[in-house]
Amino acid sequence: MNYQSKRVLRQNSVSVAAADMATPVAGTPQVQIMEENKSVHVMRQVVPMQGGNMQPQQQQQQQQIQAVPVAAGASSVTANQQIIDDAPVSLITEIADIMRSFGDSDHPLTASVKLVEQILQQQLRGIFNEASLVAMRRKQNPCPSQADFEFLMRNHAVKIARMRKHLKDMRILKRFLSIRTGRPQDFIDETDQQEEDEELAVEVQELHDEDRMRRLFRADRISQILTGQQYMEFNEARKTSFYCRHGEKIKNKFRRFLDLPADLRIPTPTMNILAYLAHETIAAIVDYSILTRLNSSNRVTEPYSRVTSAGGSPAMMHVCPEVTQGRGMEVVKPISVQEIHEAMRRFRQMSSRKIGRYRNSCDIDFRRSFLAI
Amino acid sequence: MSASSTDNVIVAKEALALALGDNWETYRLNMTHWFRNRWTKEEFDAASREILTADKIHLHNQLLLALINRIEAVTVLRPISSMRKRKSSSSNVSDLFNTGHCFMGVNQTAQLPVETNCAQHKFLPDAGFIMGRLLLGAWEIGLTSVDDNVAEYVAMAVRQMLKNLIAGIIKSRKHYKTSGDGNFYYDVGAQLRDPSLRNTVTRQKLDDAPLELDKEQQRHQLDNDILALSACEQVLPNERIVITLRDCQDALRDRNLIGSHAIYSINMERLNMMMH
């Protein structure tokens, strides 16, 4: 029950589509409000000011309001009913695997995985919402593309570089796989897309990506202490992803998990970016949770201590304390719920740093920051 | 279990309110005073005795019993986990049972936890502790009842706020590292390495720019030389500083620690008065 309260601690993000004010208020009673365990969504065409107050009176589930084009009137409500009839999608196994691949222990705690799932859903929907707003301003079509996501990350060139590198690698991998399986139509599609994407924005230099180095280093350290069988499992876990390759299976499951509006046609590249952001979010959560373990009792090393041949000890320890401290066969501890809570608290406390000391994070125009962006 | 205990509380309260009629407001006010530790148990008893006649005493006892059950239900349901910063558990609350009997006219030893001051006893409130005050507050504005989640939520919010404040105070005194493009801090209290001393032992980042080493010095193996290694470490000892009220005042100038201006202003005034 603790993780329920976590969701409400964030600000409710209500996006008022000012352009859609023309639709009459009678549209709102048609909205279905279902109390599901995890996925609660309210589809509205218009968000009138008085109708928007219905939101906070619901239970502690967080509501997301998407600005859906006015043309998709009744179809959105019927599609809404279709989604509600299905059972709530849970990605517990995939998320457990991904957490393991980023540094958690072999068997992540169920409570932690559920909490991460909730956080992930909230974060991704928030990112999607923000990107949709940007897309609306840019081209009057609320379906975000890569340029919109990059706009959100514009202050951090490192993150943009990381995302681009990831997408480029995925494209190369996909082309490689499609050559092997002999499906020429995929091969032809890819080249067109690649040219379009590389014309975007400015070219960034190769910057030092601290987070990525930390994750790679941690994966390396973990793989050094695993046995053969464990390493096979670790490898399998690292392959788990939400990336939409040839099939539609993962795409639908992921989409249902996120509760995106059904009438909005989201192309595959955008879904791939969302999958990448999901990975980034989980990686950030795991990173921060492990870093919160560092405290005054386990950070001291004697000057003459050497860990292994991997290099100088003081620098390495701050990268992943629990693995470097154990000289050899110490098992990685599973991440607990309290560590995740502490990590999110620290993240939230630092996110108000940019607005200075004298402005309040409870203001209307405070743009909340996300883990992956 | 919690649903039935909720109903018991509501039923008992309704019955008593009906029986008391106009005096319900006075009774409720007395109970508020008691819960906020302005009155002791005896004063509450004395005040209630003026309102309650003999036939209403059993209703009063019934309400108190229902309240005890409700609070116990909330404290039992919540899993007692071993969080670092949490300073208390429900066992502390049960230690605080006041010595007087809370039932009038009946010789029972069941007791309600008196809502004492947190600062006085130096522990954090937990859900059961807050539940009593929440119920009273709800009745004051006309609501029927309070969910279990709410008390737990409020307790968690108290912990979060306290952690934010303490972290804000400590961060202004000690070094820390940031990561995630400035969105996360960790390793508070780490020592600051001498920036003019750069070698493979003291490097902080994994992938620093390559160090230009003099050809002469490359013969000198740093890892094997104990004396050189100890020179790379911290030379001055860590001094432990006591956190004073002044530090608290400075840290609270960051308005993001306490969001609401009403609470902030009242408490800053108190703090400034305490400084004199």
Side-chain angles (χ1 to χ4, degrees):
Chain A
M1 202 154 326
N2 269 333
Y3 40 86
Q4 290 257 339
S5 56
K6 218 16 140 177
R7 302 182 72 179
V8 195
L9 279 174
R10 298 185 174 276
Q11 302 170 18
N12 275 330
S13 65
V14 176
S15 59
V16 179
D20 294 345
M21 282 303 212
T23 313
V25 186
T28 42
Q30 300 169 11
V31 170
Q32 304 268 348
I33 302 180
M34 284 285 292
E35 298 288 340
E36 294 275 354
N37 254 347
K38 288 188 183 59
S39 50
V40 176
H41 53 281
V42 175
M43 300 299 176
R44 286 177 189 248
Q45 292 198 162
V46 82
V47 186
M49 274 315 182
Q50 59 272 24
N53 287 335
M54 275 169 59
Q55 295 286 346
Q57 290 167 11
Q58 293 299 322
Q59 297 270 333
Q60 291 159 357
Q61 315 277 346
Q62 166 135 353
Q63 317 278 344
Q64 279 287 348
I65 301 174
Q66 306 273 352
V68 178
V70 185
S75 66
S76 78
V77 180
T78 50
N80 189 15
Q81 291 166 347
Q82 284 170 6
I83 293 179
I84 288 174
D85 287 335
D86 288 340
V89 179
S90 116
L91 297 173
I92 297 269
T93 43
E94 283 95 344
I95 292 180
D97 274 340
I98 297 176
M99 280 175 70
R100 181 190 177 172
S101 77
F102 278 122
D104 203 355
S105 75
D106 324 357
H107 304 288
L109 300 174
T110 318
S112 315
V113 179
K114 285 203 182 122
L115 177 57
V116 170
E117 184 185 4
Q118 288 222 328
I119 297 177
L120 179 72
Q121 186 178 25
Q122 204 183 44
Q123 293 268 321
L124 281 181
R125 296 187 65 179
I127 292 176
F128 186 81
N129 200 11
E130 295 268 347
S132 304
L133 290 179
V134 174
M136 275 298 284
R137 286 208 298 263
R138 185 166 72 98
K139 55 184 180 177
Q140 294 299 315
N141 172 23
C143 177
S145 69
Q146 183 177 350
D148 303 311
F149 287 107
E150 288 189 356
F151 178 75
L152 290 176
M153 301 193 226
R154 62 192 181 278
N155 291 325
H156 305 128
V158 169
K159 292 188 180 171
I160 297 183
R162 204 189 302 159
M163 181 170 88
R164 283 205 187 155
K165 181 178 189 316
H166 182 265
L167 292 176
K168 196 169 72 160
D169 290 344
M170 283 297 158
R171 272 202 292 268
I172 294 174
L173 181 67
K174 184 169 179 184
R175 202 187 311 172
F176 177 65
L177 287 177
S178 69
I179 288 177
R180 279 176 50 180
T181 57
R183 287 169 63 158
Q185 61 269 26
D186 303 322
F187 182 53
I188 293 174
D189 287 339
E190 283 307 327
T191 45
D192 297 339
Q193 202 178 25
Q194 188 176 9
E195 284 163 27
E196 171 203 318
D197 281 334
E198 261 163 64
E199 288 168 21
L200 295 167
V202 284
E203 200 58 50
V204 284
Q205 308 288 331
E206 179 84 40
L207 296 166
H208 168 58
D209 194 345
E210 178 191 349
D211 287 326
R212 189 163 157 263
M213 297 305 339
R214 179 184 292 133
R215 288 170 201 163
L216 289 175
F217 182 77
R218 184 181 300 132
D220 179 52
R221 302 294 297 188
I222 288 178
S223 61
Q224 285 178 15
I225 67 176
L226 294 177
T227 66
Q229 175 61 28
Q230 283 176 323
Y231 185 75
M232 298 285 293
E233 294 168 12
F234 185 64
N235 195 22
E236 283 301 316
R238 274 185 84 84
K239 285 198 240 167
T240 316
S241 83
F242 302 114
Y243 200 75
C244 314
R245 292 203 179 93
H246 299 300
E248 290 285 310
K249 194 164 48 95
I250 275 287
K251 179 174 176 180
N252 281 336
K253 192 173 178 190
F254 190 43
R255 200 181 158 134
R256 267 170 49 209
F257 167 72
L258 289 180
D259 285 329
L260 303 173
D263 55 327
L264 192 62
R265 204 198 126 259
I266 302 180
T268 308
T270 307
M271 288 302 289
N272 290 339
I273 293 181
L274 283 175
Y276 164 75
L277 289 174
H279 274 262
E280 275 292 307
T281 308
I282 300 180
I285 296 176
V286 171
D287 274 353
Y288 296 165
S289 311
I290 291 180
L291 283 175
T292 58
R293 289 182 187 165
L294 197 64
N295 54 30
S296 54
S297 61
N298 65 5
R299 84 162 134 237
V300 180
T301 52
E302 300 110 28
Y304 344 100
S305 71
R306 286 178 290 271
V307 180
T308 60
S309 54
S313 51
M316 300 307 133
M317 178 179 41
H318 298 278
V319 169
C320 46
E322 79 296 347
V323 176
T324 28
Q325 228 99 47
R327 312 301 192 230
M329 293 310 289
E330 184 174 295
V331 174
V332 181
K333 277 193 319 184
I335 295 177
S336 65
V337 172
Q338 291 88 6
E339 282 164 1
I340 300 180
H341 282 324
E342 174 65 19
M344 296 307 289
R345 182 195 69 82
R346 290 191 191 185
F347 173 73
R348 205 177 322 119
Q349 189 173 7
M350 287 299 268
S351 71
S352 63
R353 204 175 43 106
K354 290 196 177 70
I355 62 178
R357 306 180 77 182
Y358 300 107
R359 273 201 279 164
N360 210 339
S361 52
C362 307
D363 280 344
I364 294 274
D365 50 354
F366 175 66
R367 210 192 111 215
R368 61 177 175 142
S369 50
F370 299 98
L371 282 167
I373 289 207
Chain B
M1 177 180 161
S2 70
S4 62
S5 64
T6 313
D7 295 335
N8 285 345
V9 173
I10 298 176
V11 161
K13 176 209 147 216
E14 290 298 323
L16 190 57
L18 208 62
L20 280 177
D22 287 335
N23 287 333
W24 165 244
E25 282 302 312
T26 325
Y27 178 83
R28 196 186 42 72
L29 216 59
N30 294 344
M31 196 177 249
T32 311
H33 285 309
W34 176 42
F35 266 60
R36 289 194 192 165
N37 208 28
R38 290 183 203 146
W39 287 359
T40 62
K41 183 70 189 59
E42 289 75 27
E43 292 175 16
F44 175 57
D45 277 348
S48 312
R49 221 176 286 275
E50 298 168 17
I51 312 176
L52 295 172
T53 59
D55 55 337
K56 300 197 185 92
I57 286 187
H58 74 280
L59 290 175
H60 164 82
N61 290 342
Q62 200 177 352
L63 177 62
L64 288 177
L65 195 59
L67 272 178
I68 292 176
N69 279 340
R70 182 77 198 280
I71 292 181
E72 299 248 308
V74 174
T75 42
V76 162
L77 276 181
R78 179 184 55 85
I80 299 177
S81 47
S82 56
M83 202 155 63
R84 270 194 303 225
K85 302 242 171 78
R86 184 184 294 194
K87 294 203 189 70
S88 86
S89 63
S90 51
S91 57
N92 267 348
V93 175
S94 51
D95 286 342
L96 273 196
F97 281 168
N98 62 344
T99 53
H101 297 285
C102 68
F103 292 125
M104 295 193 298
V106 182
N107 258 344
Q108 288 190 17
T109 50
Q111 291 163 0
L112 262 179
V114 172
E115 319 292 338
T116 57
N117 214 357
C118 282
Q120 198 179 354
H121 289 268
K122 295 191 173 37
F123 63 86
L124 294 173
D126 68 343
F129 193 83
I130 301 177
M131 178 59 80
R133 281 178 82 157
L134 278 179
L135 277 173
L136 275 183
W139 293 339
E140 193 170 333
I141 53 178
L143 300 174
T144 30
S145 168
V146 174
D147 259 356
D148 291 336
N149 312 349
V150 180
E152 193 173 339
Y153 182 35
V154 171
M156 185 175 197
V158 168
R159 286 195 290 270
Q160 290 264 324
M161 166 159 260
L162 198 57
K163 279 195 208 177
N164 282 347
L165 291 175
I166 293 177
I169 295 175
I170 295 182
K171 273 165 67 180
S172 66
R173 298 208 64 115
K174 297 239 172 191
H175 300 294
Y176 55 93
K177 300 200 179 86
T178 55
S179 132
D181 291 317
N183 270 332
F184 185 74
Y185 70 91
Y186 66 101
D187 203 15
V188 182
Q191 63 200 75
L192 189 64
R193 302 255 176 212
D194 187 1
S196 54
L197 183 65
R198 287 180 53 188
N199 49 32
T200 52
V201 175
T202 59
R203 62 179 179 171
Q204 297 283 347
K205 289 191 199 168
L206 267 178
D207 204 305
D208 251 340
L211 304 166
E212 281 111 26
L213 297 171
D214 207 22
K215 266 222 161 96
E216 298 286 319
Q217 292 170 359
Q218 268 177 354
R219 278 185 278 117
H220 187 84
Q221 284 292 323
L222 204 57
D223 285 345
N224 294 330
D225 188 348
I226 290 182
L227 204 59
L229 278 174
S230 56
C232 296
E233 286 298 312
Q234 195 180 19
V235 180
L236 297 172
N238 258 336
E239 47 169 281
R240 311 201 61 176
I241 321 161
V242 177
I243 294 181
T244 62
L245 201 57
R246 174 95 198 160
D247 298 324
C248 186
Q249 192 185 32
D250 283 340
L252 275 177
R253 279 166 55 198
D254 180 7
R255 302 289 298 272
N256 280 312
L257 289 175
I258 302 183
S260 140
H261 179 74
I263 297 180
Y264 175 81
S265 56
I266 288 180
N267 286 306
M268 276 305 270
E269 302 247 339
R270 269 199 216 151
L271 207 153
N272 291 332
M273 283 298 118
M274 280 203 272
M275 295 278 286
H276 295 289

